[in-house]
Amino acid sequence: QANLNQLAKAAGKLYFGSATDNGELSDSAYVAVLKNSNEFGQITPGNTQKWQYTEPSNGVFSYTQGDVITSFAQANGQVLRCHNLVWHNQLPSWVSSGSWTAAQLTDILNTHIASEVGHYKGQCYAWDVVNEALNDDGTYRTDVFYNVLGTSYIPIAFKAAAAADPAAKLYYNDYNIEYSGAKATAALGIVKLIQNAGARIDGVGFQGHFIVGGTPSQSALASVLNSFVTLGVEVAYTEVDVRFSSLPATSAGYTQQANDYAAVVGACLAVSKCVGITVWDFDDKYSWIPSTFSGQGEACLYWQNLTAKPAYYKVQSLLAAA
Ligand code: G3I
């Protein structure tokens, strides 16, 4: 059987990809899988393009760590999804705890985005410009950006990114917007907000952090993707993993997990404007889940020992049949 990215491309997608992170690149067995562009044709830096790494103090920019990942992708012929420019989390405290006027914070946003997008100009297929602006009930997160600028920080960020790299696709990226409800409706509102402000938004990223047995059906997922496509944007699954909410996993659980991954991949296959699927790392060894959700995990396509799970084979055969 062919590898996932090869199969995804044959099915008309741009890529099948994975997140990775700097520390993982010293694991040669892991890297041997990651660098195979037939398997993963796209890479997302899991951390080191975030604000805390790239502008740790005001006006002091550092791209050394981010560049490690972008160079890796380039060396291996992999598309880059760049992640992310504006997020309440992993935001240095000089930004989050400053008492800014609207003009000052606008300046800070413009400077940060011009520098970072400028640094990576021409390298990013897409940028996650604004990440996770919404609470689960569909209200805006009251982070420093919203508190000082209201919703205007969102079009400000998209305009700055568009100016700094006209060729990069500009995305809004969030979780729990993959199925219909208040948060998905609010995310549709963000797309319209950006468009109505005369700014460019090219895509919406659906993170896709799901739970075994709790993943929406393919048709429910595809219907939400289509509601965004109707607004004129492309869509992608950007951070997929399907975690067990309790461990150890059972063999029935692995079958369910395979079906859950298949629902996500199947939804993307069913929507032509869904450009690709990114897993939030492919190996349980490097999953973010256990450290955030105690007692949960095994969310990835590969076990820690780098052997493929039933979910991998199910995704592979689904892509092959498309
Ligand atoms: O780099 C330090 C290290 O020096 C220190 O010793 C260690 C001790 O805790 O922490 C290290 O930093 C960690 C960092 O990942 C790099 O490994 C942070 O503690 C940890 O909080 C951070 O977690 C990241 C998380 O975002 C932060 O919210 C995950 O790796 C990353 O996968 C995750 O990614 C997010 C996406 O960006 C947005 N969507 C959700 C997704 C999952 O949370």
Side-chain angles (χ1 to χ4, degrees):
Q1 278 271 34
N3 297 100
L4 303 184
N5 184 59
Q6 280 179 303
L7 294 168
K9 287 181 84 166
K13 301 299 155 188
L14 289 178
Y15 58 79
F16 192 102
S18 179
T20 191
D21 205 352
N22 295 54
E24 302 162 29
L25 298 184
S26 56
D27 177 340
S28 57
Y30 167 89
V31 166
V33 180
L34 181 72
K35 75 177 188 194
N36 176 4
S37 63
N38 288 330
E39 188 78 285
F40 299 114
Q42 178 272 320
I43 298 287
T44 306
N47 279 300
T48 50
Q49 287 183 323
K50 295 170 181 174
W51 200 315
Q52 75 173 46
Y53 295 90
T54 57
E55 193 184 3
S57 22
N58 196 347
V60 178
F61 296 94
S62 172
Y63 299 108
T64 334
Q65 294 181 83
D67 289 354
V68 170
I69 309 290
T70 58
S71 304
F72 179 93
Q74 275 143 22
N76 297 302
Q78 294 159 311
V79 171
L80 267 172
R81 290 197 83 263
C82 292
H83 175 82
N84 59 50
L85 297 170
V86 182
W87 188 27
H88 71 94
N89 200 356
Q90 293 178 291
L91 182 66
S93 60
W94 74 262
V95 183
S96 55
S97 12
S99 46
W100 310 111
T101 64
Q104 286 170 327
L105 192 57
T106 301
D107 221 46
I108 286 167
L109 275 169
N110 282 331
T111 303
H112 179 74
I113 293 169
S115 172
E116 178 153 13
V117 178
H119 178 81
Y120 290 109
K121 185 177 181 184
Q123 300 182 51
C124 306
Y125 165 73
W127 263 110
D128 290 330
V129 177
V130 173
N131 194 47
E132 303 174 11
L134 297 168
N135 295 311
D136 280 345
D137 67 1
T139 59
Y140 281 91
R141 272 183 206 274
T142 49
D143 58 17
V144 65
F145 303 113
Y146 183 82
N147 287 340
V148 176
L149 293 166
T151 58
S152 75
Y153 83 87
I154 298 176
I156 287 170
F158 277 80
K159 283 179 184 173
D165 189 350
K169 305 273 187 198
L170 307 181
Y171 272 62
Y172 175 72
N173 190 53
D174 211 334
Y175 62 88
N176 291 350
I177 60 168
E178 301 85 356
Y179 47 91
S180 61
K183 195 170 186 181
T185 303
L188 288 164
I190 287 182
V191 175
K192 293 180 210 158
L193 170 88
I194 296 163
Q195 292 172 336
N196 291 339
R200 171 165 69 88
I201 174 167
D202 302 292
V204 173
F206 298 77
Q207 293 184 8
H209 297 294
F210 293 119
I211 295 172
V212 172
T215 307
S217 67
Q218 177 182 315
S219 62
L221 291 166
S223 125
V224 169
L225 294 182
N226 280 319
S227 68
F228 283 83
V229 167
T230 300
L231 298 181
V233 292
E234 63 179 44
V235 294
Y237 286 109
T238 54
E239 305 185 10
V240 177
D241 47 27
V242 184
R243 66 184 184 268
F244 286 86
S245 56
S246 66
L247 293 168
T250 61
S251 101
Y254 288 123
T255 303
Q256 180 65 49
Q257 185 184 45
N259 291 336
D260 290 343
Y261 265 98
V264 180
V265 173
C268 189
L269 287 170
V271 174
S272 63
K273 293 274 272 178
C274 181
V275 298
I277 298 143
T278 308
V279 291
W280 205 244
D281 235 315
F282 62 88
D283 174 356
D284 284 337
K285 192 169 172 182
Y286 298 116
S287 172
W288 67 291
I289 298 286
S291 60
T292 302
F293 299 102
S294 176
Q296 306 188 35
E298 280 232 36
C300 299
L301 291 174
Y302 288 68
W303 280 290
Q304 299 224 14
N305 64 3
L306 284 172
T307 57
K309 291 182 189 170
Y312 175 94
Y313 294 109
K314 181 107 187 192
V315 166
Q316 184 184 44
S317 54
L318 189 64
L319 290 170

